[in-house]
Amino acid sequence: MLSENIKTIRKAKGLSQEELAVRLNVVRQTVSKWEQGLSVPDADMLISLSETLETQVGTLLGETISEPQADDLKAISEKLETINLQLARQKESRRKVFHGLFIALCAINVIIFALLASMGSPYLGWDYADPETAVFGAVFHTFEFAFVRAAPLVLIACIVGAVLTRKKN
């Protein structure tokens, strides 16, 4: 029993006979003899062995230990559950960010449209003899022209985006 338990626990910990021997300050052949049942460690060495293998002395001396399953279903399902929860939180966080962004874009679009409508194209009465005024007037006219044509499409897209990203019950 002791020999089988030493070997099983050593392998479960991913240690070679040489690595275990180095940690215990013995030669590899000593560990090999323990695992083959040709010799047994003394009481002090048994305590050192249990500490090195991070197990209790009683476990080493107890019944046969079955090799742990690498694909322990419960451990895998717990890890998957944790991953799924993290992904769900990330998805919810992204949804909130996009929803807020769409609503903010709708508001900005309406505010700019209202400002442009209330100003009513003031650049039409400007004196374009001054080069700076001419450049600024042309830029302002281009912005207004492009915005008035694009604003309804942007507003519709933002409303659709806000509706699609709202929280579903």
Side-chain angles (χ1 to χ4, degrees):
M1 263 187 281
L2 175 64
S3 60
E4 295 169 7
N5 290 347
I6 292 172
K7 184 175 184 178
T8 302
I9 295 171
R10 175 185 60 78
K11 286 185 176 182
K13 298 288 181 183
L15 296 172
S16 66
Q17 287 183 346
E18 182 68 32
E19 291 169 326
L20 181 59
V22 167
R23 290 184 183 186
L24 294 172
N25 293 323
V26 297
V27 294
R28 187 199 57 79
Q29 288 80 3
T30 303
V31 174
S32 177
K33 286 180 182 180
W34 293 341
E35 290 182 357
Q36 292 175 10
L38 300 176
S39 69
V40 293
D42 62 15
D44 291 333
M45 187 54 68
L46 195 57
I47 292 170
S48 297
L49 185 61
S50 70
E51 290 172 355
T52 303
L53 294 175
E54 298 171 344
T55 189
Q56 297 177 359
V57 174
T59 304
L60 288 172
L61 297 173
E63 294 183 13
T64 306
I65 300 171
S66 61
E67 296 227 8
Q69 295 291 330
D71 297 321
D72 184 38
L73 189 58
K74 186 175 180 180
I76 290 173
S77 66
E78 288 174 358
K79 287 178 184 177
L80 287 175
E81 184 177 353
T82 303
I83 290 169
N84 282 337
L85 286 173
Q86 290 172 347
L87 290 174
R89 286 186 195 125
Q90 287 176 351
K91 184 177 180 182
E92 180 65 16
S93 175
R94 267 187 255 125
R95 185 202 58 78
K96 286 179 182 178
V97 168
F98 280 119
H99 186 72
L101 181 67
F102 285 129
I103 290 175
L105 286 174
C106 284
I108 290 169
N109 195 2
V110 168
I111 290 169
I112 292 174
F113 199 82
L115 285 173
L116 288 176
S118 68
M119 289 173 39
S121 303
Y123 58 87
L124 294 177
W126 291 351
D127 178 22
Y128 284 96
D130 180 23
E132 290 177 5
T133 304
V135 170
F136 186 69
V139 169
F140 192 76
H141 177 68
T142 303
F143 171 74
E144 184 182 60
F145 180 80
F147 185 80
V148 167
R149 278 152 185 70
L153 299 175
V154 171
L155 185 62
I156 290 170
C158 289
I159 290 171
V160 168
V163 168
L164 291 177
T165 58
R166 76 184 186 285
K167 186 171 184 174
K168 297 173 181 117
N169 293 331

PDB file of all heavy atoms in Angstrom, residues 5-16 35 53 67-68:
ATOM      1  N   ASN A   5       0.968   4.055  -2.934  1.00  0.00           N
ATOM      2  CA  ASN A   5       0.520   5.416  -2.629  1.00  0.00           C
ATOM      3  C   ASN A   5       1.605   6.448  -2.919  1.00  0.00           C
ATOM      4  O   ASN A   5       1.318   7.523  -3.441  1.00  0.00           O
ATOM      5  CB  ASN A   5       0.078   5.509  -1.172  1.00  0.00           C
ATOM      6  CG  ASN A   5      -1.218   4.750  -0.926  1.00  0.00           C
ATOM      7  OD1 ASN A   5      -1.901   4.355  -1.867  1.00  0.00           O
ATOM      8  ND2 ASN A   5      -1.553   4.544   0.337  1.00  0.00           N
ATOM      9  N   ILE A   6       2.832   6.144  -2.594  1.00  0.00           N
ATOM     10  CA  ILE A   6       3.935   7.067  -2.893  1.00  0.00           C
ATOM     11  C   ILE A   6       4.012   7.308  -4.401  1.00  0.00           C
ATOM     12  O   ILE A   6       4.089   8.447  -4.865  1.00  0.00           O
ATOM     13  CB  ILE A   6       5.290   6.531  -2.358  1.00  0.00           C
ATOM     14  CG1 ILE A   6       5.292   6.533  -0.829  1.00  0.00           C
ATOM     15  CG2 ILE A   6       6.454   7.372  -2.892  1.00  0.00           C
ATOM     16  CD1 ILE A   6       6.510   5.855  -0.212  1.00  0.00           C
ATOM     17  N   LYS A   7       3.969   6.230  -5.163  1.00  0.00           N
ATOM     18  CA  LYS A   7       4.070   6.332  -6.621  1.00  0.00           C
ATOM     19  C   LYS A   7       2.881   7.110  -7.197  1.00  0.00           C
ATOM     20  O   LYS A   7       3.057   7.999  -8.035  1.00  0.00           O
ATOM     21  CB  LYS A   7       4.137   4.927  -7.227  1.00  0.00           C
ATOM     22  CG  LYS A   7       4.349   4.926  -8.716  1.00  0.00           C
ATOM     23  CD  LYS A   7       4.520   3.499  -9.218  1.00  0.00           C
ATOM     24  CE  LYS A   7       4.835   3.474 -10.688  1.00  0.00           C
ATOM     25  NZ  LYS A   7       5.061   2.103 -11.169  1.00  0.00           N
ATOM     26  N   THR A   8       1.666   6.779  -6.739  1.00  0.00           N
ATOM     27  CA  THR A   8       0.468   7.434  -7.271  1.00  0.00           C
ATOM     28  C   THR A   8       0.459   8.924  -6.961  1.00  0.00           C
ATOM     29  O   THR A   8       0.202   9.749  -7.841  1.00  0.00           O
ATOM     30  CB  THR A   8      -0.799   6.780  -6.670  1.00  0.00           C
ATOM     31  OG1 THR A   8      -0.779   5.385  -6.978  1.00  0.00           O
ATOM     32  CG2 THR A   8      -2.052   7.410  -7.221  1.00  0.00           C
ATOM     33  N   ILE A   9       0.774   9.286  -5.722  1.00  0.00           N
ATOM     34  CA  ILE A   9       0.762  10.698  -5.333  1.00  0.00           C
ATOM     35  C   ILE A   9       1.887  11.457  -6.022  1.00  0.00           C
ATOM     36  O   ILE A   9       1.703  12.588  -6.476  1.00  0.00           O
ATOM     37  CB  ILE A   9       0.842  10.839  -3.798  1.00  0.00           C
ATOM     38  CG1 ILE A   9      -0.424  10.246  -3.155  1.00  0.00           C
ATOM     39  CG2 ILE A   9       1.017  12.285  -3.391  1.00  0.00           C
ATOM     40  CD1 ILE A   9      -0.365  10.128  -1.656  1.00  0.00           C
ATOM     41  N   ARG A  10       3.057  10.838  -6.139  1.00  0.00           N
ATOM     42  CA  ARG A  10       4.188  11.483  -6.838  1.00  0.00           C
ATOM     43  C   ARG A  10       3.797  11.796  -8.271  1.00  0.00           C
ATOM     44  O   ARG A  10       4.019  12.902  -8.763  1.00  0.00           O
ATOM     45  CB  ARG A  10       5.425  10.573  -6.809  1.00  0.00           C
ATOM     46  CG  ARG A  10       6.597  11.137  -7.625  1.00  0.00           C
ATOM     47  CD  ARG A  10       7.761  10.186  -7.691  1.00  0.00           C
ATOM     48  NE  ARG A  10       7.472   8.904  -8.282  1.00  0.00           N
ATOM     49  CZ  ARG A  10       7.365   8.662  -9.608  1.00  0.00           C
ATOM     50  NH1 ARG A  10       7.524   9.652 -10.462  1.00  0.00           N
ATOM     51  NH2 ARG A  10       7.125   7.448 -10.061  1.00  0.00           N
ATOM     52  N   LYS A  11       3.198  10.820  -8.960  1.00  0.00           N
ATOM     53  CA  LYS A  11       2.793  11.040 -10.354  1.00  0.00           C
ATOM     54  C   LYS A  11       1.696  12.091 -10.453  1.00  0.00           C
ATOM     55  O   LYS A  11       1.678  12.901 -11.386  1.00  0.00           O
ATOM     56  CB  LYS A  11       2.337   9.727 -10.988  1.00  0.00           C
ATOM     57  CG  LYS A  11       3.487   8.806 -11.306  1.00  0.00           C
ATOM     58  CD  LYS A  11       2.991   7.576 -12.031  1.00  0.00           C
ATOM     59  CE  LYS A  11       4.139   6.678 -12.444  1.00  0.00           C
ATOM     60  NZ  LYS A  11       3.676   5.513 -13.195  1.00  0.00           N
ATOM     61  N   ALA A  12       0.753  12.073  -9.489  1.00  0.00           N
ATOM     62  CA  ALA A  12      -0.333  13.059  -9.501  1.00  0.00           C
ATOM     63  C   ALA A  12       0.209  14.475  -9.328  1.00  0.00           C
ATOM     64  O   ALA A  12      -0.348  15.430  -9.868  1.00  0.00           O
ATOM     65  CB  ALA A  12      -1.339  12.749  -8.399  1.00  0.00           C
ATOM     66  N   LYS A  13       1.286  14.605  -8.594  1.00  0.00           N
ATOM     67  CA  LYS A  13       1.915  15.917  -8.387  1.00  0.00           C
ATOM     68  C   LYS A  13       2.827  16.289  -9.552  1.00  0.00           C
ATOM     69  O   LYS A  13       3.390  17.377  -9.589  1.00  0.00           O
ATOM     70  CB  LYS A  13       2.736  15.932  -7.094  1.00  0.00           C
ATOM     71  CG  LYS A  13       1.939  15.688  -5.839  1.00  0.00           C
ATOM     72  CD  LYS A  13       1.083  16.872  -5.501  1.00  0.00           C
ATOM     73  CE  LYS A  13       0.320  16.611  -4.215  1.00  0.00           C
ATOM     74  NZ  LYS A  13      -0.571  17.679  -3.863  1.00  0.00           N
ATOM     75  N   GLY A  14       3.008  15.385 -10.496  1.00  0.00           N
ATOM     76  CA  GLY A  14       3.836  15.667 -11.668  1.00  0.00           C
ATOM     77  C   GLY A  14       5.320  15.633 -11.384  1.00  0.00           C
ATOM     78  O   GLY A  14       6.097  16.313 -12.056  1.00  0.00           O
ATOM     79  N   LEU A  15       5.718  14.853 -10.401  1.00  0.00           N
ATOM     80  CA  LEU A  15       7.137  14.772 -10.041  1.00  0.00           C
ATOM     81  C   LEU A  15       7.744  13.475 -10.561  1.00  0.00           C
ATOM     82  O   LEU A  15       7.104  12.425 -10.549  1.00  0.00           O
ATOM     83  CB  LEU A  15       7.299  14.800  -8.516  1.00  0.00           C
ATOM     84  CG  LEU A  15       6.860  16.069  -7.786  1.00  0.00           C
ATOM     85  CD1 LEU A  15       6.894  15.849  -6.286  1.00  0.00           C
ATOM     86  CD2 LEU A  15       7.749  17.234  -8.176  1.00  0.00           C
ATOM     87  N   SER A  16       8.979  13.554 -10.987  1.00  0.00           N
ATOM     88  CA  SER A  16       9.716  12.347 -11.337  1.00  0.00           C
ATOM     89  C   SER A  16      10.361  11.811 -10.060  1.00  0.00           C
ATOM     90  O   SER A  16      10.408  12.490  -9.037  1.00  0.00           O
ATOM     91  CB  SER A  16      10.792  12.654 -12.379  1.00  0.00           C
ATOM     92  OG  SER A  16      11.779  13.496 -11.812  1.00  0.00           O
ATOM     93  N   GLU A  35       8.999   2.760  -3.909  1.00  0.00           N
ATOM     94  CA  GLU A  35       7.880   2.518  -4.807  1.00  0.00           C
ATOM     95  C   GLU A  35       7.766   1.048  -5.208  1.00  0.00           C
ATOM     96  O   GLU A  35       6.690   0.583  -5.562  1.00  0.00           O
ATOM     97  CB  GLU A  35       7.998   3.414  -6.045  1.00  0.00           C
ATOM     98  CG  GLU A  35       7.760   4.883  -5.738  1.00  0.00           C
ATOM     99  CD  GLU A  35       7.829   5.774  -6.958  1.00  0.00           C
ATOM    100  OE1 GLU A  35       8.126   5.266  -8.066  1.00  0.00           O
ATOM    101  OE2 GLU A  35       7.589   6.990  -6.811  1.00  0.00           O
ATOM    102  N   LEU A  53       5.067  15.865  -0.610  1.00  0.00           N
ATOM    103  CA  LEU A  53       3.957  15.490  -1.493  1.00  0.00           C
ATOM    104  C   LEU A  53       2.651  16.193  -1.119  1.00  0.00           C
ATOM    105  O   LEU A  53       1.624  15.963  -1.762  1.00  0.00           O
ATOM    106  CB  LEU A  53       3.758  13.971  -1.475  1.00  0.00           C
ATOM    107  CG  LEU A  53       4.896  13.139  -2.054  1.00  0.00           C
ATOM    108  CD1 LEU A  53       4.619  11.655  -1.868  1.00  0.00           C
ATOM    109  CD2 LEU A  53       5.121  13.469  -3.520  1.00  0.00           C
ATOM    110  N   GLU A  67      -5.834   6.603  -9.007  1.00  0.00           N
ATOM    111  CA  GLU A  67      -5.269   7.723  -9.747  1.00  0.00           C
ATOM    112  C   GLU A  67      -6.363   8.725 -10.033  1.00  0.00           C
ATOM    113  O   GLU A  67      -7.463   8.350 -10.437  1.00  0.00           O
ATOM    114  CB  GLU A  67      -4.652   7.227 -11.066  1.00  0.00           C
ATOM    115  CG  GLU A  67      -3.495   6.298 -10.858  1.00  0.00           C
ATOM    116  CD  GLU A  67      -2.316   6.668 -11.722  1.00  0.00           C
ATOM    117  OE1 GLU A  67      -2.341   7.719 -12.357  1.00  0.00           O
ATOM    118  OE2 GLU A  67      -1.370   5.888 -11.741  1.00  0.00           O
ATOM    119  N   PRO A  68      -6.110   9.992  -9.813  1.00  0.00           N
ATOM    120  CA  PRO A  68      -7.142  10.986 -10.069  1.00  0.00           C
ATOM    121  C   PRO A  68      -7.422  11.093 -11.570  1.00  0.00           C
ATOM    122  O   PRO A  68      -6.515  10.986 -12.388  1.00  0.00           O
ATOM    123  CB  PRO A  68      -6.536  12.289  -9.537  1.00  0.00           C
ATOM    124  CG  PRO A  68      -5.067  12.050  -9.513  1.00  0.00           C
ATOM    125  CD  PRO A  68      -4.872  10.576  -9.322  1.00  0.00           C
TER     126      PRO A  68
END
